Structure formats: C-alpha cells, structure tokens
Amino acid sequence: MTQARNKSLAKSLHSLIDRPIVLVGLMGCGKSSVGKVIAPLLNLGFFDSDTEIESAAGMSIAEIFENYGEAEFRRLELREISTLLDHQPAQIISVGGGAFVQPDCHDIIKAKGLSIWLQAQPETLVSRMSNIASRPLLKDKDPLHVLRQLSEQRDPYFAKADLIVNTDGLELSDSASKVFDHLMR
C-alpha cells in the first residue's frame, strides 16, 4: 500500500472506531510493538497495561510478582485494564499475556473493547524476546518449554478474541500492516 492510501484509510477507520482496540496474546507476540506502530497511523493513543501497572505500583512487574505474588499482580492488572478501558473510547491497549485468560479481565475486555489476538508459535516468540530475564514466568526456566505450555493453556482463551491475526515469522512492520489490514475489513 502507498503511504498516501494508508493515511486516507487510517483517517476513514479512525472515525469508525468507537471502542478501545485491545491487543492480546502470549509474551513476545508483539502487542506493545505493534500497538506503538498502529496507534499513530490511526491517530489514537497507545497504552501498555504493564507500564500502567508498574507506574501505579511504583515497581516492576517482576518485583510485584516477587514481593506480592501473582494474585496481587492480577488484582492490579484488572484495576488498570478497567481504568484504561474507561479512559476514552478510541485507543490502542496492549495487555499482558495472562490478562485475557483471567475471567474478570476477559469479560471486561470483551464487553468494552475490540480484542485482537496476535498469534505466533512459541519458537517465534522466543526469537523475538530480548528481555527474557525480566519476565517472571520465564525466570530461571527454559523459555521455549514454558511458552509451549502457556500456548497450550492459553490459546483456547485467545481464540475467543474478536479478531485473530497470525504474525508468526513476520517482522514488526509486516505484523503491524497485517493488523491494520484486518481492522480495515
């Protein structure tokens, strides 16, 4: 697509977006990266729920897990995602890999947002991650093994997303274009 055509399509699409677009999927699938690319194309704000959680808690996700456990993290996650979904109708939100699996988060995302699963194979996810040590679920473990397990457990939940975009083996620009194309349909 030409850049002029993209801008024209984005302007048309922006006027049709009446709820937040929520990017879901396993860690490493590109939720934050793709969100940062497509948000300005659509003239929308971008928010990363993990960043919002860290800001509200005054510590990293890893520190929350270490100091307070996963249950407290999930409570904070639900609160911040709820706040983001109520913030403004049109925006792009990237949520953590486990958010869409949590019943309360899943329900609020489905009720208030347009969910898009960025689908990719565990091998692709591992190859995309440069910060494995900062991910609590991967700490001191074989990342590929963990991601295969998480994929098996979480994919049935992700499959309930409003749109499914397979980004396996794609570079960031191609993944973002594919998401953009799906939104244009």
Side-chain angles (χ1 to χ4, degrees):
M1 279 194 271
T2 67
Q3 198 170 28
R5 182 171 178 256
N6 274 350
K7 286 183 179 183
S8 174
L9 289 172
K11 187 175 181 180
S12 298
L13 184 59
H14 176 79
S15 65
L16 298 174
I17 297 172
D18 62 350
R19 58 189 168 149
I21 296 169
V22 183
L23 303 175
V24 304
L26 288 173
M27 63 182 97
C29 72
K31 300 177 299 278
S32 296
S33 298
V34 167
K36 288 175 185 174
V37 170
I38 63 172
L41 291 174
L42 298 171
N43 198 27
L44 298 175
F46 171 75
F47 298 90
D48 182 313
S49 67
D50 283 350
T51 301
E52 299 299 315
I53 292 165
E54 289 177 337
S55 178
M59 63 181 75
S60 71
I61 300 296
E63 290 170 321
I64 296 168
F65 266 78
E66 187 177 314
N67 296 328
Y68 301 102
E70 185 173 358
E72 178 62 13
F73 170 76
R74 295 297 174 198
R75 189 188 69 71
L76 291 169
E77 181 177 57
L78 175 60
R79 184 184 77 195
E80 294 306 315
I81 289 173
S82 297
T83 300
L84 287 170
L85 287 167
D86 289 337
H87 183 65
Q88 58 182 328
Q91 61 184 324
I92 308 288
I93 302 170
S94 165
V95 299
F100 203 61
V101 176
Q102 305 304 313
D104 291 342
C105 277
H106 177 92
D107 292 347
I108 196 166
I109 290 169
K110 290 294 283 181
K112 295 184 177 186
L114 173 72
S115 55
I116 302 176
W117 176 21
L118 301 184
Q119 183 183 42
Q121 295 298 313
E123 293 79 6
T124 298
L125 301 173
V126 170
S127 72
R128 289 178 178 168
M129 285 189 244
S130 59
N131 58 345
I132 288 175
S134 69
R135 299 176 186 266
L137 296 179
L138 300 180
K139 187 176 181 181
D140 301 325
K141 297 177 183 155
D142 174 9
L144 182 57
H145 178 74
V146 172
L147 286 164
R148 284 179 177 153
Q149 287 180 322
L150 289 172
S151 178
E152 187 177 309
Q153 295 164 1
R154 294 178 177 179
D155 284 2
Y157 296 93
F158 295 141
K160 296 176 184 178
D162 298 308
L163 296 172
I164 299 171
V165 180
N166 188 323
T167 66
D168 200 53
L170 299 179
E171 297 295 324
L172 174 58
S173 60
D174 294 328
S175 295
S177 291
K178 199 168 181 183
V179 170
F180 186 83
D181 290 345
H182 273 70
L183 288 169
M184 294 305 296
R185 293 181 186 169

